[in-house]
Amino acid sequence: MSASANGGANGSTSATTTSTLGTTTATTSAATTGTSTASGTLSSGSDGAATVGTSQASATGSGGDGPTMGPFGGTTLTASGTSTTASTTTASMTASTTASTTASTTGGVAACESGPLDAPIADCAPLPVPDTGDFYADCVARINQFRWECQCLPPLERWVEAEDCADQMAEYDAGLDEAHAGIRAGICEPSNAGQNECLNYGPSFGILDFCLQQMWDEGPGEDFQVHGHYLNMSDPSSTRVACGRYEAPNGDVTSVQNFQ
């Protein structure tokens, strides 16, 4: 079972993979056509990582030596993880409940009276938004929940007219098992957005609770390969987001989130 999430630069996440595509200027050390990977053991908790699993991140870009940029102005980032236990979601949810309660009693929304915070509240893991049956609306609400409750950032508008294209990109990427393939190929418009992606997530992993939490937990930092998902989600210059979703015949779900 696998899962991936794309955030920040240009990537994808699935209940096996994560990656991001960003429109903000970011730096990475990837070579023009090179790939850099980093792996490590993850522990369960509010970061949404599997109890027993591995995480891998790689970045590719075009350009000369030094920082590499993706085709739409951001770096290309892909991260993936695998899990051997379905109990991870339960553990993550338990940790999220505790972290959310802590955040709300130590400032949280009350701190927003002074405007956006310079950095997100540590270990912020708000309880997932109620399931309304409308994935697209719930996806935007969940992203805005992280932005507001964890960092007092203003909400993003739901980019309804771009959702059909986001759906197409999710299906395209799932078929190739390659994050951000659709946006790179320009298979539909608009294709000039910063993109996060949850690629081929198994049925035991939730996109809105598990994958988006993983992305936010990357937190701030200058290395876009490491923090890209969070940087896309928290970008103060973004005003709207379009979520897309595709479910494969085997039940795996892929979701892209296009920010503009």
Side-chain angles (χ1 to χ4, degrees), residues 77-93:
L77 173 68
T78 303
S80 63
T82 59
S83 173
T84 58
T85 174
S87 64
T88 346
T89 302
T90 302
S92 177
M93 288 297 294

Side-chain angles (χ1 to χ4, degrees), residues 99-134:
S100 179
T101 302
T102 301
S104 63
T105 57
T106 57
V109 176
C112 295
E113 295 178 358
S114 300
L117 305 178
D118 292 334
I121 296 171
D123 301 319
C124 185
L127 289 174
V129 296
D131 183 356
T132 68
D134 184 339

Side-chain angles (χ1 to χ4, degrees), residues 22-43:
T23 56
T24 59
T25 301
T27 61
T28 93
S29 59
T32 302
T33 57
T35 301
S36 64
T37 61
S39 62
T41 301
L42 300 178
S43 59

Side-chain angles (χ1 to χ4, degrees), residues 6 10-13 19 78 173 177-181 184 197 199:
N6 302 338
N10 179 359
S12 63
T13 71
S19 72
T78 303
D173 293 356
D177 195 24
E178 179 183 342
H180 313 303
R184 289 195 197 99
E197 183 170 7
L199 179 64

Side-chain angles (χ1 to χ4, degrees), residues 5 7-9 18-20 26-29 36-39 55-59 75-79 214-232:
T18 303
S19 72
T20 61
T27 61
T28 93
S29 59
S36 64
T37 61
S39 62
S55 176
Q56 180 180 45
S58 63
T75 58
T76 299
L77 173 68
T78 303
Q214 284 182 308
M215 292 180 178
W216 185 264
D217 286 344
E218 290 177 1
E222 296 183 1
D223 189 343
F224 208 63
Q225 298 182 53
V226 177
H227 306 281
H229 298 95
Y230 162 82
L231 293 175
N232 271 354

